[in-house]
Amino acid sequence: MKSAADREREEDGMRHRKCRGKKRIRMTAAAMIFLLLLGGCGKQFEVDDTGGETSSDEDLIVVGVSQLGSESMWRTANTTSIEETFTRENGYLLVFDNARQKQENQIKAIRSFISQQVDYIVFSPIEESGWDVVLEEARDAGIPVIVMDRGLKVEDESLYVTRVGSDFRAEGENAGLWLEDYLEEQGRSDEEINIVVLQGTNGATSTIGRTEGFEEIAARHDNWNILEQTGADYTTTKAREEMRRIVKQYDDIDVLVSQNDDMTFGALDVFEENGITTGVDGDVIVISFDAVKSALERVQTGDINVDIECNPEQGPAVESVIRMLENGGTIERDYYVYEKIFTQENVGHYINDRSY
Ligand code: GYE
């Protein structure tokens, strides 16, 4: 049976309406904050703060979201952010698909969104390449595509409207810059420093950016030796497996750079198994990424030296973009979310407010 929203789309024969002047859709508080951050766009939105009715079905904006998987705590928080943003109460009908780490599943999901004639397609590309054909299909169907989290490489940039996510290269650079400062503080700037890097999923923007950013800083230091960079798919299990091999192979690891918290947990288990101490009072300096609550707790206890935040709460920013599109506003090519760096010194101020 067709939903009222389906019927509405068929009736007006339009797959994407630039402006829905008749509609009043409440904006979440979080979306308003993002608007302030995005700057200059706030005036384009109508805010219904009456707190009252939910929108009727015909008014709902249908958003198809293809999530790449559920490999990490970060990903779960990102999915929650989407689910909490695109609610009926906020004026949306969310069609959600979890691709379980397979690009072919994401392509299938996008095709299914196209055949359902959703109003917007939002997706987080598992890797950067291989999207041209399906995005051309979305364009031919007149459905705007918003890229969330990881980015992509397409021949024709107009195949997607914008990307909302993190500046992964800056995250990688921040890891390197933090290490520079830390070694200096410790009086170890001239020592030989042996580094192991656990990388995320191959071909993912977050892996590429964090790797390149860190390498750029490492290249300034002849005494920083990257012993090995190895992929562990952003998962604890794979990281454990790789680290068991690595600790056998090298007996003098000074620094572990682990491109997400889930992999860091696996690595910490293996260090512990092997009687190797980590963190502020330990032998191995540990640099992690994401900053989920359970990792911040280990920053607080000192097992992890630093956690470079990657903010998964991107639903409100994606919603802001949709609002702007609905109102015919000008869209930037990239929207970056705000991110911090946590060490034992500052983590206490933030940890209690962490919801994921
Ligand atoms: O860091 C990791 C996840 O693309 C930013 O993917 C994301 C990364 C995140 O699975 O935990």
Side-chain angles (χ1 to χ4, degrees), residues 3-28:
S3 72
D6 283 337
R7 279 198 302 278
E8 186 207 13
R9 273 193 305 288
E10 277 178 12
E11 270 157 29
D12 72 18
M14 287 169 74
R15 293 188 175 119
H16 171 232
R17 280 139 299 173
K18 280 230 144 155
C19 184
R20 294 162 187 259
K22 60 181 163 49
K23 244 181 300 163
R24 296 183 81 218
I25 293 166
R26 262 186 305 151
M27 199 183 331
T28 60

Side-chain angles (χ1 to χ4, degrees), residues 210-227:
R210 288 169 188 168
T211 301
E212 288 180 356
F214 183 77
E215 276 176 351
E216 187 186 316
I217 307 300
R220 299 182 194 172
H221 302 277
D222 291 342
N223 57 326
W224 291 19
N225 310 318
I226 300 188
L227 298 173

Side-chain angles (χ1 to χ4, degrees), residues 71-72 74-75 149-150 168 206 210 234 260 290 310:
E71 73 287 358
S72 65
W74 188 98
R75 188 67 51 200
D149 168 30
R150 301 179 188 170
F168 298 119
S206 42
R210 288 169 188 168
Y234 288 124
N260 86 344
D290 281 358
C310 182

Side-chain angles (χ1 to χ4, degrees), residues 17 39 57 64 84 90 112 132 135 150 159 177-178 180 209 217 241 245 249 253 276 287 299 306 309:
R17 280 139 299 173
D57 260 16
E84 287 177 357
N90 288 338
S112 132
D132 296 75
L135 294 190
R150 301 179 188 170
L159 286 175
L177 293 170
W178 177 86
E180 256 180 6
I217 307 300
E241 203 181 296
R245 175 184 59 75
Q249 200 169 333
I253 302 170
I276 301 167
I287 300 175
V299 171
V306 64
E309 182 178 38

Side-chain angles (χ1 to χ4, degrees), residues 142-334:
I143 304 174
V145 173
I146 298 165
V147 176
M148 173 187 68
D149 168 30
R150 301 179 188 170
L152 43 71
K153 285 207 170 69
V154 275
E155 297 251 315
D156 176 355
E157 290 282 306
S158 71
L159 286 175
Y160 65 95
V161 180
T162 188
R163 171 184 168 250
V164 172
S166 309
D167 184 343
F168 298 119
R169 201 187 164 93
E171 290 177 359
E173 282 169 25
N174 284 336
L177 293 170
W178 177 86
L179 184 60
E180 256 180 6
D181 287 351
Y182 186 73
L183 291 173
E184 198 176 319
E185 264 168 42
Q186 304 282 309
R188 297 177 67 187
S189 293
D190 299 324
E191 259 178 46
E192 287 292 302
I193 301 292
N194 291 332
I195 303 169
V196 165
V197 181
L198 280 181
Q199 293 175 306
T201 304
N202 231 342
T205 319
S206 42
T207 304
I208 297 169
R210 288 169 188 168
T211 301
E212 288 180 356
F214 183 77
E215 276 176 351
E216 187 186 316
I217 307 300
R220 299 182 194 172
H221 302 277
D222 291 342
N223 57 326
W224 291 19
N225 310 318
I226 300 188
L227 298 173
E228 176 159 341
Q229 312 212 58
T230 192
D233 250 349
Y234 288 124
T235 66
T236 304
T237 318
K238 192 87 203 319
R240 262 196 218 112
E241 203 181 296
E242 287 299 322
M243 284 309 290
R244 286 196 178 121
R245 175 184 59 75
I246 286 170
V247 295
K248 277 199 199 110
Q249 200 169 333
Y250 310 98
D251 58 7
D252 189 16
I253 302 170
D254 296 298
V255 180
L256 170 74
V257 178
S258 164
Q259 290 181 353
N260 86 344
D261 289 334
D262 299 73
M263 294 192 295
T264 306
F265 291 136
L268 291 179
D269 290 347
V270 175
F271 284 132
E272 216 174 290
E273 278 165 22
N274 287 275
I276 301 167
T277 56
T278 65
V280 288
D281 297 318
D283 289 333
V284 180
I285 298 167
V286 177
I287 300 175
S288 192
F289 290 82
D290 281 358
V292 298
K293 189 168 192 166
S294 48
L296 292 185
E297 281 160 8
R298 310 252 345 224
V299 171
Q300 199 162 39
T301 54
D303 303 327
I304 298 173
N305 294 75
V306 64
D307 211 326
I308 315 289
E309 182 178 38
C310 182
N311 183 351
E313 295 188 318
Q314 297 173 0
V318 173
E319 195 208 358
S320 296
V321 167
I322 291 178
R323 295 265 127 248
M324 286 190 256
L325 287 166
E326 289 287 306
N327 289 282
T330 314
I331 308 295
E332 304 287 331
R333 197 62 196 145
D334 290 285

